Each structure stands twice: as structure tokens, then as C-alpha cells.
Amino acid sequence: MLIERSSYGYAYPEDIPGSRCGPEDGPWPRPYKILQENQLWSEFSKLARPQSFALDSSNRPCRADCVNFQPSPRSKTQDRYVATQLDINGRMWTFTGVFDGHLGDVTVEHVAYHLPIIVRNFLQHALDGEKKLPPALVSDLFSRSIIAFDDAIANDVLDLFGGLENLDEFSDAQIRAIINDQHNGGTNWKKTRLCMYGTTALVALVDPEHRNLWVANLGDCQAVLVAPKGSSGDDWDVEVLTMNHNGDNDCEIERVRKLHPGESECVVDRRVLGALAPFRCLGDVPFKQPPVFSRRILYNLFPGFHDTSPWEEFLVRNLTPPYITAEPEVIHRPLDHRPVAISNSEELNEQVLPHFLILASDGFTDLCGSQGEQVKLIKEWASNTCLESLSRGDEGVNNHDRASNNMAMRLLRRVLGEDCLSVSRVLTLDMETAWIDDTTAVVQTL
């Protein structure tokens, strides 16, 4: 009886893409298991959990392919995504999004589930009796719906006490009794927990005719529009639609400093109050409310804070909140689907090449490296992989084919490397902590 023995290789920090691995994570080299191609796709699929969603428009069928990837078995991903349709007066809008949670996954779960509902309600109200809205009005509604959603996170808790100004009327024991109602369904407890965590948000709307795209961004996820260039179908325009709202963006630092004149510690080491990396996000109420909110309410939530000193390090700098905002940057793009001539075998056919929208968490951009390298990888993916993927069906294929037919999986595979060794290193490296950032991508046809 033959026993199959696994083959192992050894990797150094520079062999792992992204910025999470360094010499301090030694000892190096570290072992990894070398996977063959069929093993690789099986393991890759298990870790990335690819999904596809049909997003039919009034003109033609479209789809969104999604992955949420974290190879470390000891790390629970805090990324989330959504791909759905909003039924507004019998007409289907598409809603897709990527969310990168931090501190925990409570708020990011809430946002991914409820934000599409809030956006639908705002559009439903505005479209009552109307068939279309001007693009500028949709942009405004999109922004206002996100702000209103975020405002409700803190207000739902403050309403329990009649507002922030009435907190002094409650003792700590009374506050604990109100917010720790786990024995009675936990409604107030769940509301309060949402205030402790936060998430970035990158969400996109497409109208029923697929003539207009809106992208709203909070944080450091990235939206990329990929459009066919020329008539050959083998060259693509790649446009990064969003900019990062974090300490790498000097404009964001300057914006916060102007809102808090004389406060030298409103930004420390390119972080908000020296603690938070994104300058725009949902949740993160301690950065939006006065310190009394955290000290009187959040400190009394069970299970409690065993050590409040990390919170106090930034709360003592919290003088004139809010320091972060939930006001997104909204980008509108008209979609142009002109027929182009595509060479197919011996024939020359006229067909509409799709546009692609890529929504990705910062883990994806980290893996790509420089923006120039990212654009190069996306162009290669669009030319060599995406068009082939669209022409293949999902019926009657094995798990390998089903995974490799997912556009987001193919894109992520292209970023990780074409050869088995490069991908095996990322999938199977033997480390105690996560060696790449949580990586989520939604690829949507337009």
C-alpha cells in the first residue's frame, strides 16, 4: 500500500504578497505545503467561499461574483460583502458592497444586512409616482441614506436615556440595568454593542436600465471600473473611482485638522486621535460622541472592559467630536454600452462587451502592491480570463471548474500568482497569526 506524502517548501517574508509578513514574524524560513493544481483550486475555494449572484436588468442578464478570503485558520475574517437587487416600484436596481470591519464583526454584520434596506426605503420614497430621478438627486439620496443609517446607531442608544444631556440623571447601576437586557431578548444590548465597533463601506447602485452607476465610499476600500478599449476586446481602460479616507491621504488629515483648530492631537501618527486608521466609516461611536457616551454607557456594557486604558488614551483627546464622519464621497458614472466588433474564429461579430465594476477591500490592494501593478493585473485578468469566464456555463461542471469560473476567484488567483508555488505559499503558510489581510472582492458585470 502506497502512502502519498505531502511535499513542502520554505518561504521568507518577501515571498508572501502584501505587507503583513515581516522579519519580526520569524523564525524564517517557514514551511508551507505545495499543492498541485487540482488541490490548489479545492483549497482556494474552501478558503475564499466564492459565490455568484444573478442581477438581471431590464436589458440583459448580469451577475456579481464574490469572494471573502482569509487563509489563516486562526483568524476570523471581519470583511463582508453584499450583492442583491432592490425592488422599487417593480423595477430592479442592483446594490453591491464591500465592508471592512474593525475591532469586531458585530457592526459590519449589521451594516451588510440593513444598509441595502435603508437605501431602498430612501429611493422608494423619492420615486413614489416617478419613473426616473436625475442622477444628481440619486447621488444626494444615496449619501443621505447612509448618513441617516449611521446616525441611528448612536441615537437608538441615546433614546433609551432621553438623550445625551439626560445621562447625569442615571446612576451606573441604572444604566447597566437598561442596556444589559440579555435575559429579556437583548434588544438594548444589541443596539449598544453596535456602537463599540466600526466598518468601512464601499457600496454601488446601478439603475434598472444599467445606464448609470453610483459608488459611495467611506474608508479605504477601492472601486475600479473596467471598460473595453477600442474594438479588439483585448485592451481595457481601468479607472480607479475612489480615493482612500485614511492617514495616507493628506487631504483627509487636513480636513480633520480644519474642523478641530488648535487640537494638535486630533490626528496623531496619521490616525484619528492617534487610534483609528479610517477617517470616514460607519459606527465607531466613541469618535463621534463626547467621551461621556463611552464612559457612562459602553463601559457599563457586559461583558465589560477588563482594561479601559487603551480607550482612555484616545478619549482624553476627544474634545470637540465628531472626529470621523459617515458622509460618503459619491461618484456617478454614465454607462456606455456601444457594440464593438469582436473577432470570433473566422467570423466578425457585433456584440456588446460588458463593463466590470470591481469592489475590493484594502486587503486586495495590499496584495497587488503598487497601483501600476494593480492596473496591469486587472487588464490581464479582463483580457485573458474574464471574457472566457462569461462564455462558460455553470451547469454540469465540477468544483474546480465552478470555482475557476467565478470572476472574483479568477481575479484573486491572478493577483496571488499564476504558478502553484506562489499560491500554495499564501494558502498553506505555517504561521500563528494571519499572514495576509482579510481580502474581499465583488466583480459585477454592468
Side-chain angles (χ1 to χ4, degrees), residues 146-425:
I146 292 170
I147 294 170
F149 174 80
D150 184 71
D151 287 343
I153 292 176
N155 290 338
D156 284 351
V157 176
L158 290 173
D159 287 346
L160 301 174
F161 308 99
L164 189 69
E165 63 277 7
N166 292 324
L167 269 182
D168 286 343
E169 299 179 10
F170 295 83
S171 67
D172 282 349
Q174 289 172 320
I175 291 175
R176 285 194 290 269
I178 291 171
I179 64 177
N180 295 297
D181 63 342
Q182 295 94 319
H183 62 285
N184 193 29
T187 300
N188 296 342
W189 178 73
K190 292 175 183 176
K191 291 177 181 178
T192 309
R193 288 182 77 210
L194 293 176
C195 299
M196 297 174 59
Y197 313 101
T199 181
T200 66
L202 175 64
V203 287
L205 271 176
V206 180
D207 60 8
E209 294 78 23
H210 276 222
R211 294 298 181 188
N212 293 279
L213 164 70
W214 295 265
V215 174
N217 182 42
L218 290 163
D220 51 13
C221 295
Q222 188 179 83
V224 181
L225 186 61
V226 186
K229 183 178 181 181
S231 59
S232 65
D234 59 2
D235 196 9
W236 299 80
D237 280 321
V238 176
E239 180 188 6
V240 177
L241 299 177
T242 53
M243 68 177 189
N244 290 339
H245 303 136
N246 58 25
D248 293 333
N249 186 339
D250 289 339
C251 293
E252 283 295 288
I253 293 177
E254 183 64 20
R255 179 181 62 81
V256 173
R257 291 198 183 281
K258 283 184 177 179
L259 292 172
H260 303 278
E263 296 184 39
S264 61
E265 294 187 319
C266 63
V267 178
V268 178
D269 295 330
R270 293 186 172 267
R271 288 176 173 261
V272 180
L273 301 182
L276 191 64
F279 282 54
R280 304 191 194 200
C281 46
L282 300 174
D284 290 311
V285 174
F287 296 86
K288 296 173 180 175
Q289 292 287 334
V292 65
F293 184 101
S294 299
R295 291 169 176 155
R296 295 298 317 281
I297 299 175
L298 298 185
Y299 283 11
N300 280 309
L301 188 69
F302 294 146
F305 293 88
H306 299 293
D307 181 11
T308 60
S309 58
W311 291 67
E312 288 298 324
E313 287 182 11
F314 72 84
L315 285 179
V316 296
R317 297 166 172 156
N318 183 340
L319 305 177
T320 56
Y323 290 87
I324 59 175
T325 181
E327 181 177 356
E329 286 192 311
V330 179
I331 302 98
H332 168 254
R333 287 289 184 275
L335 298 176
D336 180 17
H337 296 287
R338 290 174 295 182
V340 294
I342 302 297
S343 177
N344 182 11
S345 299
E346 299 177 355
E347 299 179 358
L348 193 65
N349 299 323
E350 284 276 308
Q351 69 179 67
V352 176
L353 281 179
H355 293 55
F356 300 100
L357 176 67
I358 301 170
L359 306 178
S361 66
D362 64 336
F364 176 82
T365 56
D366 189 40
L367 290 175
C368 289
S370 68
Q371 183 164 316
E373 182 64 18
Q374 177 179 316
V375 170
K376 174 177 174 288
L377 290 169
I378 290 174
K379 283 187 175 183
E380 292 173 353
W381 161 81
S383 296
N384 302 326
T385 305
C386 215
L387 292 178
E388 178 188 348
S389 173
L390 289 173
S391 68
R392 295 167 56 191
D394 282 339
E395 298 299 324
V397 297
N398 57 37
N399 289 335
H400 172 188
D401 289 336
R402 195 179 301 276
S404 64
N405 195 36
N406 182 289
M407 294 184 293
M409 280 283 283
R410 292 184 127 189
L411 177 59
L412 185 54
R413 170 66 193 267
R414 184 66 191 84
V415 169
L416 296 180
E418 291 295 298
D419 61 288
C420 290
L421 288 182
S422 296
V423 185
S424 295
R425 281 194 291 261

Side-chain angles (χ1 to χ4, degrees), residues 2-16:
L2 294 176
I3 300 176
E4 182 179 347
R5 295 184 179 274
S6 298
S7 177
Y8 288 86
Y10 291 87
Y12 290 88
E14 57 269 23
D15 297 325
I16 308 301

Side-chain angles (χ1 to χ4, degrees), residues 9-239:
Y10 291 87
Y12 290 88
E14 57 269 23
D15 297 325
I16 308 301
S19 59
R20 294 291 290 268
C21 270
E24 67 278 4
D25 298 309
W28 296 97
R30 286 184 172 273
Y32 67 93
K33 184 178 179 181
I34 299 174
L35 304 175
Q36 301 305 311
E37 189 70 19
N38 60 334
Q39 296 174 307
L40 187 150
W41 275 107
S42 176
E43 183 69 11
F44 194 14
S45 182
K46 181 176 71 174
L47 293 170
R49 300 182 297 278
Q51 287 190 292
S52 294
F53 300 87
L55 301 173
D56 292 343
S57 71
S58 58
N59 297 330
R60 65 190 184 283
C62 297
R63 81 188 216 214
D65 288 354
C66 314
V67 292
N68 187 354
F69 178 59
Q70 174 50 257
S72 172
R74 301 174 183 87
S75 302
K76 182 180 179 182
T77 177
Q78 294 181 11
D79 282 3
R80 297 294 185 273
Y81 62 77
V82 62
T84 189
Q85 292 187 285
L86 310 180
D87 186 346
I88 301 175
N89 299 333
R91 303 173 74 239
M92 307 305 291
W93 294 63
T94 66
F95 182 102
T96 50
V98 166
F99 311 93
D100 184 354
H102 43 264
L103 301 179
D105 59 8
V106 173
T107 303
V108 71
E109 285 274 7
H110 173 79
V111 171
Y113 180 82
H114 289 282
L115 185 57
I117 298 172
I118 301 302
V119 172
R120 182 198 65 195
N121 291 345
F122 267 71
L123 287 172
Q124 183 85 51
H125 179 75
L127 282 164
D128 188 23
E130 301 288 338
K131 288 187 177 181
K132 291 186 179 181
L133 296 172
L137 181 54
V138 175
S139 295
D140 180 63
L141 287 167
F142 204 7
S143 178
R144 288 195 287 117
S145 65
I146 292 170
I147 294 170
F149 174 80
D150 184 71
D151 287 343
I153 292 176
N155 290 338
D156 284 351
V157 176
L158 290 173
D159 287 346
L160 301 174
F161 308 99
L164 189 69
E165 63 277 7
N166 292 324
L167 269 182
D168 286 343
E169 299 179 10
F170 295 83
S171 67
D172 282 349
Q174 289 172 320
I175 291 175
R176 285 194 290 269
I178 291 171
I179 64 177
N180 295 297
D181 63 342
Q182 295 94 319
H183 62 285
N184 193 29
T187 300
N188 296 342
W189 178 73
K190 292 175 183 176
K191 291 177 181 178
T192 309
R193 288 182 77 210
L194 293 176
C195 299
M196 297 174 59
Y197 313 101
T199 181
T200 66
L202 175 64
V203 287
L205 271 176
V206 180
D207 60 8
E209 294 78 23
H210 276 222
R211 294 298 181 188
N212 293 279
L213 164 70
W214 295 265
V215 174
N217 182 42
L218 290 163
D220 51 13
C221 295
Q222 188 179 83
V224 181
L225 186 61
V226 186
K229 183 178 181 181
S231 59
S232 65
D234 59 2
D235 196 9
W236 299 80
D237 280 321
V238 176
E239 180 188 6

